[in-house]
Amino acid sequence: MPGFVNNLKVQHCLTFATGLVECLVFAGAVFGWASLVFVLKTEGYFSSLCVNTTGVNATNDLDCSGQDEQFSLVFTIASFMFNFLTLPNGFLFDQFGTTVARLFGISLYTTGTLMVAFSTPALSNLLFPALSLLAVGDILFVMTNVQVGNLFGSHRSTIITLYNGAVDSSSALFFVIKLLHESGISFRSSFLFLSACSVIHLLRTFFLLPRDHIPYPLPDDYTYGITCGKSKTLSLEQTAANGNVLKMTEETPLNKDVPVTQEKSFCECVMSRFFAWHLLWVSVMQLRHYLFIGTLNPTLQRLTEGEPSLVSQYTNAFAMTQLCGVLCAPWNGLIMDRHKGKPRAEGKTEQEADLQASVLSLFLTALLCVVFSVCATIPYLPLQYLTFILQVINRSFLYGGNAAFVSVAFPSCHFGKLIGLTMALSAVFSLLQYPCFALVNGPLDGDPLYVNIGLTLLILLAFIHPLSVYLHCQRLTSQRAIKASS
């Protein structure tokens, strides 16, 4: 029996380690788009859209705004697919389990990498379906990996948060491809290698992950994977609390002995004030991040006056800061959990305490986004180093805070659906990045100043959410005081 337990621990550790590598390298690759654009421009993708124009003093200039617009559209569609398909992919995962979801995700990811590998400047339009397939495959990698936290009991949230940060850091994959390209290795070879890595994903699927889901809480005799034989059949009540949804952070296991209280329905949650303000909070900040990533290359071109070495230097700096996402992600969790273990006021519920703790997290995330947006607006090249740092910190706060708030503000039985709906609706809102880019390239003659100012003002709406939660908590405190005095 001790040998069996030790084998399980080794398997759990291997599952965790390989899952972390998978998230760190593959699960958010599309967000390293700025590095890949540099390579694609060097290769001449969409170069037919560059036209000769007459500049100052009758000089001939090359206007590549049409090329930049196409690259922006590729990223807009891919980032939209990444978020919008979270909801149907979540239902696929819930209904058919880990193996089916991963096999589907692996097939999409492999097809996407092969399409990029065999694309050419003459077939530049292949980038549209290729990046979209990569994005959908990414989200399925994330979904099937976050449940690994259920294997580690009290460390569950730490592992889930770490995985979320690893997803943010995985955007550095395209930076590595850029460095390899500069060293003489073709990006076709790099993407063929990524396609071959699908063998590793398949091995993890069959040997280190369950066919169905990893339950929470974990039964003592739970086994999974081919090497441990068939895992025990789980009841609906057990699987209901598993970690099979993106970025789950709730900690309370199900207990059949506790009376079931009347929970809000899914429709009541969606129609609530909390959900509306939270959706706005996520959407405006996500739009700012997507527009920044999608337009980084033309922005650097403008600030460096087209100097290739400087563009490459700042693109590398941006990619390097993305690696720090895995380090930044747990900070927000510490803010959210700072009240855990401390005595609560008499009559104060755990949910109320969690909501009150979330106010600071929601406020700091919005504040960080405003500062990041202001720095991105100022057309001073050295300041962009600070912009890159603020961007990666704010992005890790945004997505971790999104999942954390949903888990404490709404019934856990609706967590997956609400997260999926939030990401899907915010994806629709993020489509505004393309008309913003078209506005800059058209009427504004390439100057994004007014668009950046407008987005910064739009972000101020995000402060409504923490204010609303704060006022709600204050009302609950006042009601409790009135009851105590009566």
Side-chain angles (χ1 to χ4, degrees):
M1 187 65 180
F4 176 75
V5 173
N6 289 334
N7 288 337
L8 277 181
K9 287 183 178 178
V10 170
Q11 188 186 36
H12 291 180
C13 291
L14 283 174
T15 300
F16 162 69
T18 55
L20 184 62
V21 172
E22 189 171 79
C23 287
L24 189 61
V25 178
F26 302 100
V30 292
F31 296 105
W33 179 242
S35 297
L36 188 61
V37 165
F38 188 89
V39 175
L40 295 172
K41 280 190 171 183
T42 304
E43 293 289 319
Y45 280 70
F46 297 118
S47 58
S48 60
L49 298 176
C50 294
V51 295
N52 289 315
T53 59
T54 302
V56 182
N57 299 325
T59 58
N60 290 326
D61 296 330
L62 191 63
D63 181 9
C64 290
S65 58
Q67 181 189 38
D68 291 333
E69 191 169 339
Q70 284 299 100
F71 282 128
S72 177
L73 184 58
V74 171
F75 178 74
T76 298
I77 294 174
S79 58
F80 170 78
M81 298 291 281
F82 183 90
N83 287 300
F84 187 76
L85 292 185
T86 301
L87 186 58
N89 282 340
F91 278 109
L92 171 71
F93 184 32
D94 288 346
Q95 185 67 31
F96 298 102
T98 302
T99 299
V100 172
R102 282 184 63 83
L103 290 177
F104 182 59
I106 292 168
S107 64
L108 293 178
Y109 191 89
T110 306
T111 304
T113 54
L114 287 173
M115 290 179 74
V116 175
F118 290 105
S119 66
T120 64
L123 297 173
S124 298
N125 286 330
L126 273 181
L127 294 176
F128 286 97
L131 266 293
S132 295
L133 290 172
L134 281 174
V136 181
D138 284 347
I139 198 63
L140 284 165
F141 284 151
V142 179
M143 282 185 173
T144 55
N145 274 308
V146 293
Q147 62 178 333
V148 172
N150 296 344
L151 296 173
F152 296 90
S154 59
H155 300 293
R156 177 172 175 258
S157 289
T158 303
I159 290 172
I160 292 173
T161 305
L162 190 63
Y163 273 23
N164 292 336
V167 172
D168 289 336
S169 296
S170 68
S171 58
L173 174 64
F174 287 166
F175 167 58
V176 175
I177 291 176
K178 174 181 177 292
L179 294 181
L180 292 174
H181 184 266
E182 291 172 346
S183 301
I185 299 175
S186 68
F187 87 99
R188 172 172 291 182
S189 299
S190 297
F191 275 92
L192 287 175
F193 176 77
L194 291 179
S195 300
C197 287
S198 295
V199 175
I200 301 173
H201 303 319
L202 288 172
L203 291 175
R204 284 198 73 240
T205 300
F206 293 115
F207 288 94
L208 293 175
L209 285 169
R211 179 177 298 178
D212 192 14
H213 304 100
I214 300 175
Y216 182 76
L218 195 70
D220 292 335
D221 55 353
Y222 176 74
T223 61
Y224 64 96
I226 292 177
T227 57
C228 288
K230 187 177 179 180
S231 59
K232 296 182 73 67
T233 302
L234 301 173
S235 66
L236 179 61
E237 287 83 1
Q238 285 176 303
T239 57
N242 64 25
N244 64 348
V245 286
L246 180 64
K247 301 182 177 178
M248 178 173 285
T249 57
E250 70 271 22
E251 295 292 340
T252 307
L254 296 182
N255 188 340
K256 296 179 183 178
D257 298 327
V258 177
V260 178
T261 57
Q262 184 67 35
E263 300 281 17
K264 286 184 177 181
S265 68
F266 176 67
C267 288
E268 287 175 329
C269 293
V270 172
M271 299 303 294
S272 68
R273 183 182 71 254
F274 271 3
F275 183 79
W277 291 131
H278 185 67
L279 178 61
L280 178 66
W281 182 84
V282 173
S283 298
V284 295
M285 288 189 282
Q286 181 172 264
L287 173 63
R288 187 63 185 103
H289 282 278
Y290 281 4
L291 188 65
F292 178 76
I293 295 171
T295 61
L296 181 60
N297 188 268
T299 297
L300 293 177
Q301 290 278 357
R302 181 176 54 84
L303 293 178
T304 61
E305 298 181 351
E307 176 59 43
S309 60
L310 273 177
V311 173
S312 178
Q313 174 185 327
Y314 277 84
T315 302
N316 292 349
F318 173 72
M320 290 296 292
T321 57
Q322 300 306 297
L323 285 170
C324 298
V326 69
L327 303 176
C328 301
W331 299 354
N332 200 20
L334 293 174
I335 294 174
M336 294 286 291
D337 292 337
R338 69 188 187 280
H339 67 291
K340 297 289 179 66
K342 297 179 181 179
R344 297 195 301 266
E346 186 177 352
K348 191 175 189 178
T349 64
E350 183 177 358
Q351 185 195 36
E352 184 183 345
D354 289 340
L355 279 175
Q356 197 164 13
S358 72
V359 172
L360 179 60
S361 170
L362 297 171
F363 175 80
L364 283 178
T365 305
L367 182 63
L368 277 169
C369 194
V370 170
V371 178
F372 148 64
S373 187
V374 169
C375 290
T377 301
I378 299 173
Y380 180 58
L381 187 60
L383 183 63
Q384 301 316 304
Y385 288 121
L386 177 61
T387 304
F388 299 159
I389 295 171
L390 290 170
Q391 189 270 341
V392 72
I393 295 175
N394 183 237
R395 184 179 164 196
S396 64
F397 268 56
L398 174 62
Y399 292 112
N402 172 34
F405 180 79
V406 171
S407 70
V408 302
F410 303 103
S412 60
C413 58
H414 303 311
F415 179 85
K417 295 186 288 292
L418 289 171
I419 282 289
L421 185 61
T422 300
M423 299 304 290
L425 293 177
S426 64
V428 174
F429 190 82
S430 70
L431 290 175
L432 289 173
Q433 63 184 296
Y434 183 70
C436 287
F437 188 81
L439 179 64
V440 171
N441 273 355
L444 298 180
D445 295 324
D447 186 357
L449 178 64
Y450 294 111
V451 169
N452 285 332
I453 291 174
L455 286 172
T456 304
L457 294 175
L458 185 65
I459 295 168
L460 296 178
L461 295 175
F463 287 102
I464 297 175
H465 187 31
L467 178 62
S468 174
V469 177
Y470 173 77
L471 293 176
H472 173 77
C473 293
Q474 288 296 103
R475 282 194 297 270
L476 293 179
T477 302
S478 300
Q479 292 171 4
R480 199 167 52 247
I482 293 172
K483 290 180 180 179
S485 61
S486 60

